[in-house]
Amino acid sequence: MTRTPWWRDAVVYEIYVRGFADSSGDGEGDLRGIRSRLGYLRDLGVDALWLTPFYPSPLADGGYDVADYRDVDPRFGTLGDFDALVADAHAHGLRLIVDIVPNHTSDRHRWFRKAVAAPPGSPARDRYIFRPGRPGEGPGEEDPPNDWPSAFGGPAWTRLPDGEWYLHLYATEQPDLNWRNPDVRHEFEDILRFWLDRGVDGFRIDVAAGLVKEDCYRDLAGRGVRTANGPVYSRPEVHEIYRGWRRILDEYDERMAIGEVWTDDPDDLALYLRPDELHQVFQFDLQLAPWSAAAFRDVVEAAVTAVAPTGAAPTWVLSSHDSIRHITRYEQPEGVPGIELARAKAALLLLLALPGSAYLYQGEELGLPEVVDLPDEARQDPIFKRSDGGQLGRDGCRVPLPWSGKSEPFGFSLAGVRPWLPMPAEWASLTVEAQEGDPSSTLTFYRAALALRRRLVPGLPDDLEWLDSPAAALFLRRGPLTCALNCGENPVRLPPGRPLLTSIPPYGDLLPGNAAAWLASP
Ligand code: NOJ
């Protein structure tokens, strides 16, 4: 009998390294901080950790601007700390996934420095995407080579003093690599081996769909940027890269890769999941869906259908370091107090009942909301800066975790230290310390759901069956587990089965609005 690979139904906990736990007292999280909290993560009941980038970086985009792919930024620790973290995580029964950022480097990466110092047309420039501009409106003016936008606002091109423009799909400080250049391929294959040899269990591939661009660099001219097989994302050439990566991963035991693929076309995801490519791709649709049973059902159905032909399992996510925390997304404009927490807990039961794997984002187990009122001076996200404050950006979901105590830094850092983003005073009631041992806390609920899921998973089939339900609810069954989610305001009758766990206490056989239940199928 073949064993189910560990990632197929894993619950992975995303650690935003800078905001998780600070052991050094510089106000930023670090690897030793993570190590000191492994007991917490084991007790939470997750299977694996995904660490956001901790490599040397000027942090123009929170570390997704990597200056050296084979080291640890001194503010986050050392390679020795990393090795110790891998060993300790494994000793705690936790797998470790690291982020790899192959679409772009930092502008401080040695390759880009060389490219800037070298003349147009030189081999050093060929590792990136340099192009001449186009004549602009006025005399002597020049426009970028094409109309591609940066995902963070403004054009995707920046001009060097010598007149050439370079491409950056993200911030100016993140020049895109030229994946048609063999140096780039070899370099990343070597980087993969570097971390595999250090014992990582997998990679989360940043901007996985973007590596190869259409090489004529024509204008988008109104075409969607996320279209499959468009000029920017999900071009056919990208798959060849992942086949090569897969061969490397397969040389090691039980290593995996998950791609960050944003696409307008769910069928596009299946291409990445072919048996000789990636093991997982994020399915972001739950994260994008409104609080509606019909919307959730459609999304689940579409996602399951899209990956089914590949034999891979779906991969679900409700929140990440790039999105507004789902608890806040579930607030009602008119504001019924507490409804967002009720919904977030119910959503967890849906998430964890679905076939496949689930990625949680640090702090959701505490019910942390998005911090919407950060002062402008504190904001770090390039989206905020590039939009002149027009878009708040993603800092609100990156505020450090509150561990203990009554005031900032809430045990995130040493007493008296100011964390890199300010923490709300109201978080005193949301700390791990405040929630631990409280049977009604969000943390206790997460632990119960994860523990129960772990017990149930070995007996759950891969597929799911929809049961008849009132319109505001959805009932799904996976063999011995039935999950009922009521997105409406009024109670609905529970489907048959013995209740195992509910997000709020049911009344008799009625499931209240904005609640979910797991039942042992009859
Ligand atoms: C996706 C990452 O999750 C995000 O944080 C980053 O800004 C972009 N990719 C660019 O690397």
Side-chain angles (χ1 to χ4, degrees):
M1 194 180 115
T2 48
R3 213 152 52 90
T4 309
W6 66 265
W7 54 84
R8 199 175 165 90
D9 47 32
V11 177
V12 184
Y13 182 95
E14 177 189 355
I15 293 190
Y16 193 72
V17 174
R18 211 178 170 193
F20 187 72
D22 171 24
S23 72
S24 67
D26 65 356
E28 302 192 49
D30 48 43
L31 300 183
R32 283 176 182 239
I34 300 170
R35 250 178 94 198
S36 72
R37 301 292 183 178
L38 289 172
Y40 169 78
L41 295 163
R42 178 202 49 214
D43 296 345
L44 181 60
V46 298
D47 303 302
L49 311 175
W50 151 31
L51 306 189
T52 56
F54 47 77
Y55 315 107
S57 165
L59 301 190
D61 180 24
Y64 284 93
D65 47 323
V66 180
D68 179 353
Y69 289 83
R70 294 181 189 78
D71 205 350
V72 175
D73 193 291
R75 73 181 96 200
F76 301 132
T78 62
L79 277 175
D81 292 331
F82 182 81
D83 294 340
L85 175 59
V86 175
D88 279 11
H90 288 162
H92 281 77
L94 296 162
R95 312 263 180 175
L96 198 72
I97 297 172
V98 297
D99 221 309
I100 185 152
V101 188
N103 181 68
H104 43 263
T105 69
S106 159
D107 60 351
R108 312 278 178 84
H109 190 280
R110 68 192 154 84
W111 275 6
F112 194 70
R113 291 175 190 247
K114 270 194 193 158
V116 169
S122 55
R125 287 211 174 174
D126 189 58
R127 292 181 180 136
Y128 292 88
I129 298 172
F130 282 90
R131 287 283 174 285
R134 296 188 289 193
E137 296 255 299
E141 277 181 25
E142 216 180 60
D143 285 341
N146 67 23
D147 67 353
W148 294 3
S150 149
F152 292 163
W157 298 91
T158 291
R159 190 171 189 255
L160 291 182
D162 62 30
E164 274 215 308
W165 298 71
Y166 68 88
L167 178 72
H168 51 88
L169 293 182
Y170 295 87
T172 315
E173 298 86 350
Q174 293 167 297
D176 277 51
L177 285 161
N178 172 18
W179 273 86
R180 296 179 193 277
N181 182 314
D183 286 0
V184 174
R185 291 181 184 241
H186 295 146
E187 176 71 358
F188 274 87
E189 290 177 0
D190 193 67
I191 293 165
L192 291 179
R193 290 182 194 281
F194 178 88
W195 293 104
L196 288 167
D197 290 339
R198 297 197 104 85
V200 306
D201 299 287
F203 297 95
R204 177 267 189 192
I205 308 168
D206 187 63
V207 194
L211 272 42
V212 190
K213 285 85 179 169
E214 189 181 50
D215 57 1
C216 61
Y217 294 93
R218 61 192 161 126
D219 277 345
L220 278 177
R223 287 175 297 168
V225 81
R226 302 278 178 204
T227 345
N229 200 9
V232 187
Y233 290 103
S234 285
R235 296 202 44 80
E237 299 92 327
V238 87
H239 297 287
E240 203 37 61
I241 298 171
Y242 297 130
R243 290 198 185 101
W245 288 21
R246 178 61 179 260
R247 286 192 289 272
I248 294 173
L249 291 165
D250 285 348
E251 290 169 24
Y252 296 76
D253 265 355
E254 297 198 294
R255 314 296 172 99
M256 55 79 75
I258 173 163
E260 186 214 15
V261 177
W262 291 90
T263 173
D264 296 336
D265 176 2
D267 292 336
D268 186 29
L269 295 181
L271 298 178
Y272 293 86
L273 294 173
R274 286 175 287 193
D276 58 346
E277 293 196 37
L278 305 181
H279 306 81
Q280 296 184 325
V281 287
F282 287 105
Q283 284 169 299
F284 292 112
D285 315 76
L286 268 188
Q287 183 175 300
L288 303 172
W291 181 255
S292 143
F296 285 143
R297 192 179 152 141
D298 286 353
V299 155
V300 169
E301 187 71 36
V304 167
T305 310
V307 306
T310 66
T315 302
W316 310 100
V317 51
L318 285 168
S319 277
S320 77
H321 68 288
D322 287 331
S323 61
I324 296 183
R325 285 185 176 276
H326 62 276
I327 187 166
T328 300
R329 293 201 311 270
Y330 295 154
E331 273 173 9
Q332 283 198 327
E334 325 80 69
V336 177
I339 195 169
E340 63 279 6
L341 178 57
R343 289 176 170 181
K345 287 163 82 176
L348 180 74
L349 293 192
L350 170 65
L351 184 86
L352 296 183
L354 295 173
S357 158
Y359 281 64
L360 308 180
Y361 177 50
Q362 69 179 38
E364 63 169 272
E365 77 279 19
L366 304 176
L368 296 188
E370 185 83 1
V371 180
V372 288
D373 53 1
L374 287 169
D376 286 1
E377 332 66 85
R379 291 193 182 272
Q380 316 249 341
D381 189 349
I383 294 182
F384 181 75
K385 294 176 197 146
R386 285 180 72 91
S387 67
D388 284 329
Q391 285 185 55
L392 292 182
R394 302 160 294 178
D395 294 306
C397 63
R398 298 175 178 181
V399 172
L401 276 201
W403 292 94
S404 58
K406 299 279 173 230
S407 58
E408 191 181 77
F410 294 111
F412 161 70
S413 181
L414 312 184
V417 171
R418 286 184 59 184
W420 67 282
L421 284 174
M423 302 170 72
E426 313 82 79
W427 283 13
S429 61
L430 296 178
T431 62
V432 172
E433 182 183 55
Q435 298 198 37
E436 215 145 23
D438 171 356
S440 67
S441 73
T442 312
L443 178 58
T444 302
F445 175 73
Y446 263 72
R447 285 182 178 163
L450 289 164
L452 184 51
R453 181 186 192 272
R454 186 170 276 175
R455 283 211 300 280
L456 293 170
V457 151
L460 298 181
D462 270 350
D463 46 346
L464 103 195
E465 182 193 335
W466 299 104
L467 309 179
D468 286 342
S469 67
L474 65 79
F475 298 166
L476 66 88
R477 179 174 168 160
R478 284 179 67 210
L481 175 68
T482 299
C483 172
L485 169 68
N486 181 5
C487 293
E489 300 304 316
N490 302 316
V492 299
R493 197 159 302 283
L494 281 166
R498 179 173 50 86
L500 298 170
L501 182 66
T502 54
S503 62
I504 43 172
Y507 351 110
D509 62 353
L510 291 182
L511 178 66
N514 299 302
W518 281 354
L519 308 114
S521 308

